[in-house]
């Protein structure tokens, strides 16, 4: 995997023989030793790498890890429910569960982001 940062702040990720733009990723789902990329256009790309492999690059570029089995693009978040369902709803209406350990750090992150706006 190679990550390229260009002057216009667009990053690309090379997965196998495909190059994808990071902003087109909605979420990445971990399935054992594989990662399934869910793209904005509805397509899916499977990589034989774990989420842990992609995590350092993506967390620096506007992604969060709400649970052990998911990485989410913050730009794709439509709503967050910290109270009842403890989940994130994405722009494609998919729900991603927030783990118990990540509720407080994510609340703090979004609270700080709201104060900066």
């Amino acid at each position: 995997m190679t990550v390229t940062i260009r002057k216009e702040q667009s990053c690309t990720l090379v997965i196998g023989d495909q190059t994808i733009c990071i902003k087109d990723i909605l979420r990445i789902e971990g399935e054992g030793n594989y990662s399934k990329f869910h793209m904005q256009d509805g397509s899916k790309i499977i990589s034989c790498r774990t989420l842990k492999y992609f995590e350092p690059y993506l967390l620096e570029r506007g992604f969060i890890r709400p649970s052990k089995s998911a990485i989410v693009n913050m730009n794709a978040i439509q709503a967050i429910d910290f109270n009842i369902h403890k989940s994130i709803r994405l722009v494609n209406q998919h729900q991603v569960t927030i783990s118990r350990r990540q509720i407080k750090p994510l609340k703090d992150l979004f609270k700080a982001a709201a104060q900066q706006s």
Side-chain angles (χ1 to χ4, degrees):
M1 178 184 78
T2 59
V3 175
T4 308
I5 302 173
R6 298 196 179 112
K7 289 182 183 175
E8 65 269 10
Q9 297 297 317
S10 65
C11 301
T12 57
L13 193 61
V14 178
I15 302 171
D17 60 349
Q18 292 184 320
T19 301
I20 59 172
C21 187
I22 289 177
K23 68 179 181 178
D24 294 333
I25 301 169
L26 291 178
R27 67 185 168 96
I28 308 165
E29 183 180 349
E31 296 180 358
N33 288 332
Y34 293 89
S35 297
K36 187 186 292 184
F37 289 75
H38 295 265
M39 309 301 287
Q40 284 185 351
D41 63 3
S43 64
K44 296 177 181 129
I45 301 170
I46 297 178
S47 171
C48 62
R49 303 279 187 175
T50 63
L51 288 180
K52 190 173 183 177
Y53 179 82
F54 295 108
E55 185 177 18
Y57 299 103
L58 294 174
L59 294 187
E60 293 176 356
R61 290 165 177 83
F63 285 73
I64 57 172
R65 187 151 186 193
S67 67
K68 187 177 176 182
S69 62
I71 296 176
V72 174
N73 187 342
M74 287 177 59
N75 295 325
I77 296 174
Q78 189 173 50
I80 300 175
D81 178 10
F82 287 115
N83 299 321
I84 298 169
H85 301 290
K86 297 174 180 48
S87 64
I88 297 171
R89 187 173 68 231
L90 301 177
V91 293
N92 66 349
Q93 303 307 311
H94 182 80
Q95 299 278 343
V96 177
T97 303
I98 302 171
S99 70
R100 286 181 294 154
R101 291 183 181 196
Q102 290 299 326
I103 291 172
K104 184 171 178 359
L106 288 178
K107 270 186 184 178
D108 294 343
L109 174 71
F110 286 104
K111 197 177 289 184
Q115 290 175 354
Q116 289 179 354
S117 298

